[in-house]
């Protein structure tokens, strides 16, 4: 609990707060008086070097004698905080769908053709929907070529491993995909700069090379029946323009 320790009539009221005979909170009452000393975290306690020691002091004495959490228990906690990671434990589509609630399962299977945008806060299951959608399309259309793109390399590796990517289902970061397409078009990429502002400017310019290659007929267009993008908020407009050039007859 984080408290600013505000006095006066604005002090928070809770069932265990000190009260007057009239039932109104005493003006001098603080949350710490109700909960006990040492149980309130302030903004200063959130500093990186202070947070963990303060949290440990909040534990009761008997907590030091309890057994450590097992790996399975830690995994359950992680799955509750980050639902996407549980998908990696599943062995088949049925097990993956068991993790999802009915709303996400229905969305993954019935969002229809054409362009679709799935929005939600972090941890709401957008990646789960994308993974199930990709696997569902692969099962429904085994002859389709499906491309899954994201921004983060670690996420791309996780998705590729979990969905068992192959020739019919490719999983890449946009950067890796764009570089590969330019190599196939025999277009030389400019030297990669260091990771600084120049890096961002570089990846604003490189997709333009790919768009020019499509316009000149040097890059092959329309070879994927479905393209799915995760972390779409990190994609620039020209990235999407280049991606759409690769969308084929599947209209996904």
């Amino acid at each position: 609990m984080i408290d600013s320790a505000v006095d006066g009539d604005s002090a928070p009221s809770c069932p265990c707060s000190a009260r007057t005979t009239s039932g109104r909170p005493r003006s001098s009452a603080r949350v710490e008086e109700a909960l006990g000393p040492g149980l309130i975290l302030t903004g200063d306690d959130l500093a990186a070097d202070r947070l963990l020691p303060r949290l440990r002091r909040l534990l009761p004495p008997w907590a030091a004698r309890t057994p450590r959490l097992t790996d399975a228990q830690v995994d359950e906690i992680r799955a509750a905080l980050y639902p996407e990671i549980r998908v990696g434990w599943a062995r088949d589509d049925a097990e993956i769908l068991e993790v999802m609630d009915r709303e996400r399962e229905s969305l993954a299977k019935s969002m229809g053709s054409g362009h679709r945008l799935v929005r939600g806060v972090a941890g709401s299951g957008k990646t789960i929907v994308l993974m199930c959608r990709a696997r569902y399309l692969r099962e429904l259309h085994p002859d389709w070529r499906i491309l899954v793109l994201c921004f983060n390399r670690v996420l791309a590796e996780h998705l590729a491993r979990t969905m068992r990517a192959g020739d019919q289902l490719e999983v890449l970061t946009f950067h890796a995909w764009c570089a590969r397409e330019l190599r196939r078009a025999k277009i030389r990429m400019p030297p990669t700069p260091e990771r600084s502002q120049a890096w961002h400017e570089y990846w604003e310019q490189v997709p333009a090379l790919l768009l020019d290659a499509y316009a000149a007929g040097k890059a092959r267009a329309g070879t994927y029946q479905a393209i799915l993008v995760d972390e779409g908020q990190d994609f620039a407009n020209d990235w999407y323009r280049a991606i759409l050039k690769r969308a084929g007859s599947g209209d996904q």
Side-chain angles (χ1 to χ4, degrees):
M1 182 174 184
I2 301 173
D3 175 42
S4 58
V6 179
D7 292 327
D9 293 335
S10 61
S13 174
C14 63
C16 53
S17 294
R19 293 176 178 270
T20 64
T21 55
S22 64
R24 296 182 59 190
R26 289 209 314 258
S27 61
S28 61
R30 295 171 180 259
V31 175
E32 190 168 10
E33 293 178 11
L35 300 181
L39 296 181
I40 306 299
L41 297 183
T42 67
D44 292 338
D45 293 320
L46 300 181
D49 59 336
R50 297 187 59 179
L51 180 58
L52 187 56
R54 284 289 289 114
L55 290 175
R56 284 174 174 164
R57 288 201 295 272
L58 291 177
L59 296 175
W62 54 262
R65 300 189 296 273
T66 58
R68 295 177 62 88
L69 295 177
T70 65
D71 290 343
Q73 289 171 327
V74 173
D75 284 341
E76 287 299 324
I77 295 173
R78 293 174 63 217
L81 294 175
Y82 305 102
E84 289 90 342
I85 66 173
R86 186 191 288 263
V87 175
W89 308 338
R91 296 180 180 178
D92 54 36
D93 292 334
E95 290 176 329
I96 286 182
L97 293 180
E98 286 178 1
V99 179
M100 302 174 63
D101 58 30
R102 292 184 178 181
E103 181 179 356
R104 291 173 188 160
E105 178 180 349
S106 175
L107 179 60
K109 287 192 170 184
S110 62
M111 60 176 59
S113 61
H115 300 166
R116 292 293 183 269
L117 174 65
V118 179
R119 303 181 66 178
V121 300
S124 60
K126 300 184 297 297
T127 298
I128 294 178
V129 173
L130 179 142
M131 295 174 71
C132 289
R133 180 67 176 173
R135 294 175 66 125
Y136 171 70
L137 290 175
R138 179 171 61 179
E139 179 181 351
L140 192 64
H141 304 285
D143 58 325
W144 276 17
R145 293 193 64 203
I146 301 170
L147 175 65
V148 176
L149 296 174
C150 62
F151 184 85
N152 185 277
R153 178 177 55 83
V154 175
L155 177 60
E157 293 172 353
H158 167 71
L159 294 178
R161 185 170 56 251
T162 303
M163 295 191 293
R164 300 175 185 174
D167 292 338
Q168 298 301 115
L169 175 58
E170 300 179 32
V171 181
L172 296 163
T173 66
F174 175 82
H175 304 81
W177 174 79
C178 185
R180 187 191 69 180
E181 294 299 295
L182 287 172
R183 287 196 302 270
R184 289 179 174 178
K186 295 181 171 32
I187 296 176
R188 185 175 181 180
M189 289 183 60
T192 306
E194 297 293 332
R195 288 185 175 271
S196 60
Q197 182 61 35
W199 171 264
H200 300 288
E201 295 174 354
Y202 177 82
W203 281 108
E204 289 176 357
Q205 298 169 1
V206 169
L209 296 177
L210 185 55
L211 287 171
D212 291 343
Y214 285 129
K218 297 180 180 179
R220 188 180 179 187
T223 56
Y224 293 101
Q225 285 71 48
I227 300 177
L228 298 90
V229 176
D230 200 7
E231 303 177 304
Q233 72 279 359
D234 296 320
F235 281 47
N237 290 338
D238 273 353
W239 298 17
Y240 283 110
R241 293 187 181 98
I243 292 168
L244 287 172
K245 293 292 185 180
R246 286 292 251 155
S249 58
D251 194 30
Q252 294 289 328

